[in-house]
Amino acid sequence: MKWALNAGIALLLVLVGIGLWAGQQRPPDRYLDDIISRGTLRVGMDPTYPPFESLRDSKPEGRDVDLARAIAADLGVQVEFKALALDTLYDALADRQVDMLVSALPFIYERQKEIRYSVPYYQAGQVLVVRTGETAIKSVDDLRGKRVGVELGSNADTEARRLARTRLQTMQVRPDYHAAADALDALERGEVDACIADNASAQEYAGQHTGAIAILSPPVTDEPFVIAMPVLASGLAERVDATINRLRASGELAAIMGERTP
């Protein structure tokens, strides 16, 4: 009788242990399984936003295209791009027309119940730009009394005015330019002391005017680009994050995104 009781207790403990172990296991990711069995990663994007994504002779090209190809290569599958209108991207993902969205997308907090986002792969926020060799300006706090050029009506204009209103009352905002490149030209000519511009525009200008400007860190505003996947695609998200982190550590991600640092 005693033996039977002990055996029953032992069996119960085993069953409880199995239950706890099972509860700790992540459910299978059918999204990742489907991609692997299909042999194709279907990527949705709006191809109207160069240099991140565009069409040349009906073929996709750009930074996001190269990133998607790197992800597919790490998964061991082919990649298939689906051109979509911007306002249909998330619907296509929900309808499983595509497996993920790689389309210069910002992180949207309110979508987290239905969307799983990757780690950031590009900082699209506003950055502080100075002439190469500038030593008096190292951060936003050094802009007191300085002339700061911005594109009229841009996010940079909004942020510069906010800074002048709340923290840097003596900063002189110069919203006299119709494009970020015009403001950066004025910086190069010495008409302003610094510029605030979106990172993509600043990086593009730096590539075209080698050695003329320096893009300072950290960014003035935090606006990361992320990859969007179904909320239950946990395994897929892990693999995507692993690729992004690998590319970042090797320097390949910066090269893909055309990033330059001071």
Side-chain angles (χ1 to χ4, degrees):
M1 190 72 174
K2 183 177 181 180
W3 175 88
L5 180 60
N6 289 339
I9 292 174
L11 178 60
L12 178 62
L13 290 174
V14 168
L15 292 174
V16 169
I18 291 174
L20 291 173
W21 177 84
Q24 293 173 352
Q25 302 310 297
R26 178 175 296 154
D29 181 353
R30 71 179 188 276
Y31 299 97
L32 178 58
D33 292 343
D34 286 350
I35 292 167
I36 301 302
S37 63
R38 189 193 314 126
T40 304
L41 174 66
R42 302 170 305 173
V43 176
M45 61 174 50
D46 169 23
T48 62
Y49 188 54
F52 287 91
E53 46 264 329
S54 59
L55 295 176
R56 182 190 295 270
D57 298 327
S58 301
K59 295 181 180 180
E61 65 176 15
R63 298 170 180 175
D64 283 343
V65 173
D66 293 341
L67 176 58
R69 286 178 174 146
I71 292 169
D74 279 0
L75 291 173
V77 299
Q78 300 297 312
V79 62
E80 174 186 308
F81 295 100
K82 186 176 181 64
L84 300 165
L86 180 62
D87 60 356
T88 66
L89 286 171
Y90 281 102
D91 288 338
L93 184 64
D95 293 341
R96 301 197 65 180
Q97 298 175 35
V98 295
D99 303 305
M100 65 175 60
L101 304 175
V102 189
S103 193
L105 294 176
F107 172 82
I108 302 176
Y109 180 84
E110 293 77 12
R111 284 192 178 271
Q112 290 184 96
K113 290 184 178 179
E114 59 192 28
I115 297 297
R116 186 179 293 269
Y117 288 113
S118 71
V119 295
Y121 67 86
Y122 184 79
Q123 177 54 253
Q126 308 305 306
V127 292
L128 178 59
V129 185
V130 296
R131 285 183 293 277
T132 297
E134 173 66 65
T135 58
I137 301 174
K138 297 180 180 179
S139 71
V140 168
D141 291 333
D142 297 321
L143 295 179
R144 292 179 176 83
K146 303 297 184 182
R147 301 164 301 170
V148 179
V150 295
E151 176 187 352
L152 178 64
S154 66
N155 289 342
D157 186 3
T158 300
E159 181 62 18
R161 292 174 191 269
R162 187 191 69 80
L163 289 169
R165 185 176 65 253
T166 60
R167 290 173 52 193
L168 309 171
Q169 284 80 4
T170 59
M171 183 177 80
Q172 303 170 40
V173 181
R174 299 286 179 86
D176 308 325
Y177 310 101
H178 296 294
D182 295 338
L184 293 166
D185 281 339
L187 173 65
E188 193 174 354
R189 292 192 300 266
E191 296 173 8
V192 293
D193 303 303
C195 282
I196 295 177
D198 67 277
N199 189 37
S201 295
Q203 297 284 355
E204 182 177 5
Y205 191 92
Q208 296 172 351
H209 300 76
T210 305
I213 63 170
I215 302 169
L216 304 185
S217 295
V220 180
T221 62
D222 184 30
E223 303 170 42
F225 284 166
V226 290
I227 294 172
M229 293 160 280
V231 70
L232 296 179
S234 56
L236 177 59
E238 280 189 3
R239 299 287 294 272
V240 169
D241 288 351
T243 294
I244 293 172
N245 290 331
R246 176 184 66 78
L247 294 173
R248 178 175 287 114
S250 69
E252 294 172 81
L253 185 61
I256 290 172
M257 295 296 146
E259 292 186 296
R260 296 165 181 83
T261 55

